[in-house]
Amino acid sequence: MIRNIIWFLIALFSIILFWLWKKMSLLPLWGHLPLAVFVLSWGVFLLLLVQLKYKDKASHQLILLSILSGVVLALGFPPLPLTPVLFVGFIPLFILFKKIKTEELNYHSWFFVFNAFVIWNILTTYWVANASFIPGIVAIGLNSFFMTIPWIGAIRIGKRLPKWRWISFIIFWLCFEWIHLNWEMSWPWLTLGNAWAALPQCIQWYEYTGVFGGGVWVLGVNVLLYYLFFDSNHFTFNIIWIRQKLFSKLGVALLVVLILPFIVSMFLWFNFKETGTTVEVGVVQPNYEPHYEKFKIPEDQQLFQIEKLAAAAVTPNTKFVIFPETSFGEVGGVIRKNNINQDPRIIRLFDFMIAHYNVPIVAGITSLNDIPADQLPTKFSRAYRDSDPPQYYEIENAAIILKAKEEPIPLYRKSKLVPGAEIFPYKNILPFLKPLVDQLGGTTAGLATQENRMVFESNTLKIAPVICYESIYGQFVRDYINLGAQAIFIMTNDGWWDDTPGYKQHLAFGALRAIEFRKPVIRSANTGISCFINARGQVSHATKYGEEAGFYANCTFSDAKTVYAYTGDWIAYLALILGATMILYSFFLKFTNSLPRS
């Protein structure tokens, strides 16, 4: 009977999938439909496994535990304010491995963990498919696979140091997150510390630890809860048993680790006072849908729209006005960096600036940099077609500040690039990824970056020109702050993901930078959400998705520097040292155990 029901569900899900595919083929935007497609597709796959491979009741329990873990981990991420559920998100996986009753990491045990991470990734980042469907599937699959690597490391360590298995999982997970922040295939969206962006009142101490502090908190509570309540073979869930556990040494440690960060954060929340200079900033949200409007509507028309909105966003007291990422340089041709002052669009913006109180304009552009003939081409270089001898150029996703016609225009090149769309990761060793890069609109050359950060300055006020994806990297943004940035300007274009949780998560993660550095964040998005964020991480003046807007507000530019601004990701560095030590010690034990005994 049950097996017939499963076959019926497989058939039903398949019919719904066929209908969804047909519907999506007729729609210009998909919204939440990829979520349904991914959930149903993975559901069919799991049901087939249950029907054909995992037929016993024990395997069914393991699959349910892994599904539970994936769902709970997904519920803990923005925009839902349910982050505390992450404190139990990994426990079903710990129980799962205990039920497997083997110290060997075979295919079956690995798959159950992989299943949990696939579900977590699907439910949290399904919206990536709105930018490009097949690369979205690859991103979810690869990220889920990478997440299993810390688990594998913990199991290997646990074979020789059983009591340290899940402690090592904490260390290896933090190492994984740091690597995922710093390599070319970087996709750190699900860094555990990012989840607390939904509840900024709880993580005011990020000014000391950065997001890795949130990761330690989540993982530490998971491990302590497991050791306290689930590691024992005598599980009797009643009040007396729970009280005995909580008043044990491990129970007291759990309560301290769980509650103390809340107390510290609330103390900082109520006692923090912004200090610095009050500055009025104007923000423009032109609202061009990027799939079928932004890069097709004539640029003169877009420029007129931006000027109209900017006129409403400036007053005699405004010190900056900010436009979103790639405001110009796509439809009307890229802006040549070598001749930027003479570009008609730049001249027009200067005229607007002069007519509106000489307010400096900070804008995102697409620019082109010609490589001089006497210089060697870079790894970002492309050759002009039919040029003999070859002439090279670079394409840049850049930000500029316009202050005076006579002055050189400072230009910053975006340097944390989106894998696939803006950079071909490890193209020399992964050439087979080229079709995916092509689908995302990228090239083998990618976009040009710069080695060091820079700040824009006007009348002694300094700002960090952060472009889109860069805003989710705390250590990266730290370089701007150490150059004297008093505020963070984020220029972005989040409309690629349609009206889904993607742009809301991006906003939330950017707000973490405000807490880490105690600087205001001013956000200009092509469409939703443009806003102001104060140094506590509180959002104000937020625009809606799909509306045009031009507005201004005051914020507090600050010269103060936090502990995190000085130390950076010190928790990650410590985890890397401990992880390397554990691996070496494990090899040492293996070597000594292999020696002949006298």
Side-chain angles (χ1 to χ4, degrees):
M1 180 66 179
I2 294 178
R3 300 183 71 79
N4 290 334
I5 292 175
I6 293 176
W7 281 122
F8 171 77
L9 289 175
I10 291 172
L12 178 62
F13 289 175
S14 299
I15 293 170
I16 296 173
L17 276 170
F18 177 78
W19 176 80
L20 287 172
W21 276 113
K22 188 174 180 180
K23 182 176 181 179
M24 288 172 63
S25 68
L26 302 174
L27 294 174
L29 297 175
W30 299 331
H32 300 285
L33 290 179
L35 173 61
V37 170
F38 291 158
V39 169
L40 289 173
S41 298
W42 193 251
V44 168
F45 176 68
L46 289 179
L47 288 172
L48 285 172
L49 284 180
V50 168
Q51 198 75 323
L52 302 175
K53 186 175 181 63
Y54 299 123
K55 300 179 181 181
D56 58 290
K57 185 177 179 181
S59 295
H60 297 169
Q61 292 178 346
L62 299 179
I63 290 176
L64 289 174
L65 282 170
S66 67
I67 292 173
L68 176 62
S69 184
V71 171
V72 172
L73 289 168
L75 288 173
F77 268 73
L80 297 175
L82 302 176
T83 313
V85 302
L86 291 178
F87 288 138
V88 297
F90 289 97
I91 291 177
L93 294 183
F94 299 156
I95 297 173
L96 181 154
F97 194 80
K98 184 179 179 182
K99 284 180 173 291
I100 292 176
K101 298 179 181 179
T102 175
E103 291 297 311
E104 295 299 326
L105 185 71
N106 55 33
Y107 167 78
H108 303 294
S109 61
W110 174 85
F111 172 76
F112 294 131
V113 177
F114 178 71
N115 177 53
F117 294 149
V118 168
I119 292 170
W120 179 13
N121 277 267
I122 286 176
L123 297 180
T124 315
T125 62
Y126 68 89
W127 43 264
V128 174
N130 280 297
S132 189
F133 194 81
I134 299 301
I137 295 174
V138 173
I140 288 171
L142 282 178
N143 208 49
S144 303
F145 171 76
F146 294 146
M147 285 177 166
T148 64
I149 295 175
W151 181 273
I152 294 171
I155 300 306
R156 296 298 187 197
I157 291 295
K159 289 177 65 176
R160 299 182 181 91
L161 301 167
K163 293 183 178 180
W164 287 87
R165 171 176 292 140
W166 303 128
I167 301 297
S168 71
F169 177 69
I170 297 176
I171 294 168
F172 291 146
W173 187 275
L174 295 175
C175 293
F176 150 73
E177 289 190 340
W178 183 87
I179 292 170
H180 218 19
L181 281 164
N182 290 282
W183 68 331
E184 289 186 2
M185 297 182 71
S186 179
W187 176 241
W189 209 265
L190 297 185
T191 297
L192 287 173
N194 285 347
W196 289 103
L199 298 171
Q201 302 92 336
C202 299
I203 41 92
Q204 293 296 300
W205 39 267
Y206 271 26
E207 66 172 291
Y208 298 98
T209 68
V211 295
F212 283 97
V216 171
W217 194 21
V218 168
L219 293 165
V221 173
N222 269 274
V223 170
L224 287 171
L225 275 171
Y226 172 75
Y227 279 145
L228 188 64
F229 293 114
F230 301 99
D231 194 35
S232 171
N233 293 321
H234 305 287
F235 185 84
T236 54
F237 196 79
N238 57 62
I239 298 299
I240 297 175
W241 182 77
I242 292 175
R243 187 185 304 161
Q244 290 175 342
K245 289 289 186 178
L246 289 177
F247 283 97
S248 65
K249 291 182 180 180
L250 193 59
V252 172
L254 169 64
L255 292 175
V256 170
V257 172
L258 179 63
I259 297 173
L260 185 61
F262 280 116
I263 296 173
V264 172
S265 186
M266 295 309 296
F267 175 82
L268 293 172
W269 175 269
F270 288 112
N271 289 278
F272 175 77
K273 290 181 174 57
E274 290 184 305
T275 58
T277 304
T278 301
V279 177
E280 182 180 284
V281 178
V283 177
V284 171
Q285 179 172 299
N287 189 42
Y288 287 111
E289 207 295 316
H291 294 88
Y292 55 83
E293 285 185 349
K294 169 65 180 168
F295 303 106
K296 295 181 180 178
I297 294 175
E299 203 159 63
D300 280 347
Q301 183 178 333
Q302 295 190 39
L303 188 54
F304 176 81
Q305 166 83 338
I306 287 177
E307 287 176 336
K308 180 188 73 172
L309 297 171
V314 299
T315 74
N317 298 320
T318 306
K319 302 302 181 185
F320 297 94
V321 61
I322 176 175
F323 301 164
E325 178 187 18
T326 57
S327 295
F328 315 104
E330 290 284 349
V331 180
V334 293
I335 296 174
R336 289 185 175 273
K337 180 178 178 181
N338 313 71
N339 201 30
I340 190 169
N341 288 72
Q342 280 69 51
D343 188 283
R345 292 157 290 187
I346 300 299
I347 293 173
R348 182 169 170 178
L349 288 176
F350 272 125
D351 292 340
F352 172 87
M353 183 186 74
I354 292 169
H356 292 82
Y357 318 110
N358 285 308
V359 176
I361 296 172
V362 178
I365 66 169
T366 300
S367 56
L368 181 149
N369 178 43
D370 282 306
I371 307 295
D374 59 346
Q375 290 186 14
L376 294 174
T378 68
K379 65 178 181 179
F380 309 110
S381 298
R382 317 168 191 212
Y384 283 108
R385 188 175 300 173
D386 301 326
S387 61
D388 187 23
Q391 294 179 331
Y392 296 93
Y393 67 97
E394 299 170 333
I395 298 295
E396 308 158 326
N397 185 347
I400 58 173
I401 180 170
L402 306 181
K403 296 184 292 183
K405 278 187 175 182
E406 299 77 18
E407 297 180 4
I409 297 175
L411 182 144
Y412 167 73
R413 302 196 291 189
K414 181 180 180 181
S415 299
K416 276 291 186 182
L417 303 179
V418 180
E422 295 178 324
I423 184 175
F424 190 158
Y426 303 108
K427 59 185 178 182
N428 293 329
I429 58 176
L430 301 173
F432 55 86
L433 291 180
K434 188 178 184 304
L436 295 176
V437 173
D438 292 339
Q439 281 206 29
L440 282 166
T443 68
T444 55
L447 300 181
T449 62
Q450 63 184 60
E451 185 175 350
N452 299 312
R453 310 289 65 74
M454 64 183 293
V455 296
F456 290 163
E457 183 174 1
S458 176
N459 296 321
T460 71
L461 297 173
K462 296 181 179 180
I463 62 104
V466 178
I467 303 175
C468 191
Y469 197 52
E470 295 179 331
S471 65
I472 61 174
Y473 295 85
Q475 177 76 22
F476 183 87
V477 174
R478 171 176 171 259
D479 293 339
Y480 294 105
I481 304 304
N482 288 332
L483 289 174
Q486 301 160 300
I488 300 168
F489 284 14
I490 297 177
M491 293 153 276
T492 188
N493 184 6
D494 294 344
W496 293 109
W497 312 319
D498 203 8
D499 191 1
T500 63
Y503 72 94
K504 298 174 184 177
Q505 293 169 354
H506 194 203
L507 161 68
F509 300 162
L512 296 175
R513 310 291 84 81
I515 300 172
E516 288 171 342
F517 303 109
R518 297 301 188 185
K519 309 289 183 189
V521 172
I522 300 90
R523 201 171 190 271
S524 173
N526 174 53
T527 181
I529 300 171
S530 301
C531 63
F532 284 74
I533 307 171
N534 67 17
R536 279 195 184 95
Q538 294 172 294
V539 177
S540 64
H541 302 83
T543 60
K544 296 179 180 178
Y545 186 90
E547 72 171 0
E548 59 184 53
F551 60 99
Y552 59 87
N554 288 330
C555 56
T556 304
F557 279 42
S558 175
D559 289 312
K561 291 184 69 172
T562 62
V563 171
Y564 180 69
Y566 286 107
T567 62
D569 291 330
W570 61 272
I571 291 178
Y573 304 145
L574 180 60
L576 290 167
I577 294 171
L578 292 175
T581 302
M582 289 190 113
I583 292 171
L584 291 174
Y585 184 60
S586 176
F587 280 125
F588 172 76
L589 289 179
K590 181 179 180 180
F591 173 75
T592 55
N593 290 337
S594 66
L595 294 176
R597 303 291 181 180
S598 58

